[in-house]
Amino acid sequence: METYDALLASITPDSGETRTILDPATGTVVGQAPVHSIEDLEKAVAAAQAAQPAWAGLGHDARSAALLKAADAVERSAEELARLLSREQGKPLNGPNARFEVGACAAWLRAAATLPLEPETVVDDGETYAELHYRPIGVVGAIGPWNWPMMITIWQIAPALRMGNAVVVKPSEYTPLSVLALVHVLNQEVPEGLLTVVSGGPEVGARLAEHPAIGKIMFTGSTATGQAIIRSSADTVKRLTLELGGNDAGIVLPDADPAAIAEGLFWGSFINTGQTCAALKRLYVHDDIYDAVCDELTKVAAAMPMGVGLEESNVLGPLQNRQQFEVVARLVEAARGSGARVLLGGNPDADQAGFFYPATLVADINNNNPLVTEEQFGPALPIIRYSTVDEAVEMANGLDAGLGASVWSADVTEARKVAARLDAGTVWINKHGAVDPRVPFGGAKQSGYGLEFGVEGLKALGVPQVING
């Protein structure tokens, strides 16, 4: 186990161009990140190509054993990784934040290592015998976001390595240190050259997406960037898994208990200070309990401490960057200007250091308001009234996004009936955004395509091959 200072030193370049990374909570320097070039990317791809055949040849059992050791390595350095993540991304150590994220990295590594994937007999009728196998793709490109930089990188890396692939990782320019440190820890347990981080700008990501030696791209991020990846990957017919923007709806049915669901609603929306693709971003509440839900949710939100992530008492942190802060501020002010009622928040402290935007609840807002129709990706939740379930379903399905959704009710059977009518890749009942490494996860409509997690996620990192005869 390395100390925090040793871990940071291990990823600090001795030479070459660097970029200064600042803490979004305090503005202080976290560290120096390398600025890798196209030439660095080419070297990483060549090393991955060289390392991949031997790794694939080890077979599932040996690869799984290495991933389990990698999970142990993550746990040995868990506190150091969490501190770095908190300083770079801004999320607090406690709550469903930095320590939670590092713990999830170990959990997903173990799940990818231990999920069974046996050849499937598809026909055996005495005349025809056919088996379905999954072979490695080769080299996988993993392009990750800044909101959950470690965890989402593991979502990409773990199944790719389990299936016998090498991986070249391109982290967000906002949070490269977290990913560099995580991969440094993982590389203690996997062969040299198999797993590399290329910390460059947009041109590096574009080259990765079009590179002829990359067999698949896994990407989590905006729909616009996903569309660009689709276009740039077309000439080489790459396989793609795209987890794109979400604007998840939650529907509270009239039989729900406002006090009982308030905390679940809060964390479904405000986890990671709202900076989560599958967070609850627009809440539809029946007229009969609308005021009660607003009151109970306000009580919960008002009690949640926000501040610098390294302070143990905090559970909400800053927005990660100024651009996102300005998006949230613009949308809330537009809602206020339209006549919507701000129940809580909405007035950031101009004298406070860092990109802190207070937890904000906006009631009596029109469904066509930009705070509802645009993904805010921050701590501001619009709460929309509805009179009939048909009206709520129509509004929930009215946008191009379809990553997740949720239904809240005392009657689970009725909630499931409503869930079946929603256009989303995952619909949760009486919770929102809870992911599980055993359960497939992916988007509908313009929220992307392809599945992650579970056996289906493993299969997505392989090339299906039928052996017939």
Side-chain angles (χ1 to χ4, degrees):
M1 182 185 74
E2 296 171 292
T3 65
Y4 175 85
D5 289 340
L7 180 64
L8 188 58
S10 71
I11 60 172
T12 300
D14 296 325
S15 61
E17 185 181 355
T18 62
R19 182 171 63 256
T20 301
I21 303 298
L22 302 180
D23 184 332
T26 64
T28 58
V29 174
V30 179
Q32 301 295 322
V35 179
H36 290 135
S37 64
I38 298 293
E39 182 180 357
D40 294 318
L41 173 63
E42 296 295 344
K43 291 177 181 177
V45 172
Q49 287 181 290
Q52 187 270 331
W55 175 251
L58 291 176
H60 282 288
D61 290 346
R63 295 195 299 267
S64 291
L67 290 184
L68 292 173
K69 289 182 179 180
D72 292 340
V74 169
E75 290 183 335
R76 286 194 299 271
S77 296
E79 187 63 15
E80 292 71 28
L81 289 169
R83 284 186 61 202
L84 178 57
L85 175 63
S86 180
R87 292 194 65 206
E88 181 180 49
Q89 201 280 336
K91 65 184 65 181
L93 290 171
N94 292 320
N97 291 298
R99 289 178 177 135
F100 168 86
E101 180 168 348
V102 175
C105 290
W108 254 264
L109 281 162
R110 289 202 169 93
T114 55
L115 284 167
L117 181 61
E118 302 295 335
E120 178 185 349
T121 301
V122 291
V123 177
D124 183 10
D125 62 4
E127 296 182 4
T128 299
Y129 181 80
E131 282 186 345
L132 178 60
H133 297 250
Y134 288 85
R135 299 170 55 85
I137 295 169
V139 182
V140 172
I143 304 175
W146 50 258
N147 58 333
W148 295 90
M150 289 185 180
M151 185 172 70
I152 290 177
T153 294
I154 287 292
W155 290 357
Q156 299 167 335
I157 287 174
L161 293 179
R162 161 68 194 279
M163 295 301 289
N165 304 294
V167 187
V168 177
V169 179
K170 161 62 174 73
S172 166
E173 294 170 79
Y174 289 115
T175 53
L177 298 176
S178 299
V179 177
L180 285 160
L182 175 65
V183 170
H184 167 75
V185 171
L186 297 177
N187 275 332
Q188 298 169 12
E189 302 295 347
V190 300
E192 184 177 356
L194 190 71
L195 176 61
T196 307
V197 180
V198 182
S199 174
E203 71 285 353
V204 171
R207 175 58 179 160
L208 188 63
E210 69 180 15
H211 201 293
I214 301 295
K216 172 156 187 162
I217 292 290
M218 299 191 75
F219 171 73
T220 296
S222 71
T223 297
T225 303
Q227 291 166 336
I229 288 172
I230 293 169
R231 289 189 290 269
S232 60
S233 67
D235 287 346
T236 50
V237 197
K238 283 181 178 35
R239 288 163 171 79
L240 299 174
T241 295
L242 304 175
E243 197 258 87
L244 307 179
N247 197 342
D248 289 12
I251 298 176
V252 180
L253 299 184
D255 67 346
D257 179 344
I261 66 173
E263 188 165 349
L265 289 171
F266 175 83
W267 283 118
S269 179
F270 290 88
I271 185 172
N272 195 26
T273 316
Q275 299 165 109
T276 298
C277 293
L280 172 56
K281 298 191 174 81
R282 46 198 175 108
L283 182 62
Y284 297 94
V285 182
H286 193 272
D287 282 326
D288 290 352
I289 57 171
Y290 184 87
D291 290 335
V293 168
C294 287
D295 290 344
E296 295 296 336
L297 193 49
T298 300
K299 291 177 189 176
V300 171
M304 295 294 177
M306 173 182 283
V308 176
L310 294 182
E311 295 176 4
E312 297 279 350
S313 61
N314 293 321
V315 295
L316 298 174
L319 289 160
Q320 202 286 322
N321 54 79
R322 178 169 298 281
Q323 179 181 353
Q324 200 57 44
F325 179 94
E326 291 174 351
V327 168
V328 176
R330 171 179 60 82
L331 291 172
V332 172
E333 286 311 303
R336 192 199 305 270
S338 73
R341 181 163 53 105
V342 178
L343 302 174
L344 182 73
N347 292 301
D349 183 352
D351 296 327
Q352 186 176 24
F355 304 126
F356 288 97
Y357 197 93
T360 300
L361 299 170
V362 181
D364 298 331
I365 186 169
N366 188 284
N367 190 54
N368 294 321
N369 191 283
L371 182 59
V372 179
T373 60
E374 297 180 29
E375 184 184 19
Q376 69 275 49
F377 214 71
L381 178 66
I383 309 170
I384 305 102
R385 294 178 183 269
Y386 75 88
S387 299
T388 68
V389 172
D390 286 347
E391 178 189 10
V393 169
E394 181 180 3
M395 290 191 291
N397 287 340
L399 301 181
D400 289 335
L403 189 56
S406 56
V407 182
W408 304 73
S409 173
D411 185 340
V412 173
T413 299
E414 186 62 28
R416 287 174 176 158
K417 291 178 183 176
V418 176
R421 300 173 62 187
L422 297 177
D423 299 333
T426 299
V427 183
W428 292 276
I429 306 297
N430 292 326
K431 55 188 174 182
H432 195 108
V435 292
D436 185 308
R438 302 164 298 177
V439 179
F441 176 72
K445 299 194 282 190
Q446 290 195 25
S447 290
Y449 49 75
L451 289 173
E452 299 176 274
F453 313 162
V455 173
E456 295 303 319
L458 293 180
K459 291 178 179 179
L461 271 302
V463 178
Q465 181 186 55
V466 173
I467 297 179
N468 194 328

